[in-house]
Amino acid sequence: MNFPVEAMADLPDEHKASFLAQLEHMQVRDSLRLYNALVERCFKDCVADFRSKNLAKDEEKCVQKCCEKFMNVSARTGLRFQEFFTEMEKQAAEAARQASRRR
């Protein structure tokens, strides 16, 4: 879902800057949260022993597959949310259009 830029048109510049900084902070935090979840999940699923500082071949393959799967699922989930919110925006716009016709 994209944030409608025109919604910020009437805000003073300092409020716009503050809002955009908060939005960027949230995006960075969410990216780090996603990365940390990925590392924890794949480490728990794939690393079997600590006899070597390097991953064994099977552990390395497991981590690679785990990362690919996690990223694919995350991407698909993001697309589904985007589709859902786009549909909600269309429905809200249609409801607003119908409400304005009734007046």
Side-chain angles (χ1 to χ4, degrees):
M1 178 174 86
N2 294 329
F3 182 80
V5 176
E6 60 272 2
M8 291 182 22
D10 296 334
L11 291 177
D13 287 341
E14 62 270 6
H15 288 128
K16 287 179 190 176
S18 174
F19 177 79
L20 291 174
Q22 287 177 334
L23 185 61
E24 184 177 347
H25 176 74
M26 289 170 56
Q27 288 173 330
V28 168
R29 186 186 65 214
D30 288 345
S31 294
L32 288 172
R33 193 176 295 152
L34 178 69
Y35 175 77
N36 286 335
L38 169 65
V39 169
E40 184 175 341
R41 173 72 185 256
C42 293
F43 183 84
K44 285 181 179 179
D45 288 352
C46 297
V47 178
D49 64 61
F50 297 96
R51 288 182 263 183
S52 172
K53 66 180 182 177
N54 297 324
L55 293 174
K57 294 276 187 204
D58 58 330
E59 290 173 332
E60 197 170 325
K61 284 181 184 178
C62 179
V63 168
Q64 187 174 11
K65 283 185 178 183
C66 180
C67 290
E68 287 175 10
K69 186 181 280 190
F70 190 93
M71 296 307 289
N72 288 338
V73 167
S74 295
R76 288 187 70 186
T77 302
L79 287 173
R80 295 299 173 252
F81 274 117
Q82 186 176 8
E83 291 170 2
F84 174 75
F85 285 117
T86 300
E87 184 61 31
M88 283 181 53
E89 287 173 342
K90 286 179 185 176
Q91 290 175 0
E94 182 61 30
R97 213 170 327 171
Q98 289 178 358
S100 67
R101 287 182 190 164
R102 292 181 192 148
R103 293 181 189 171

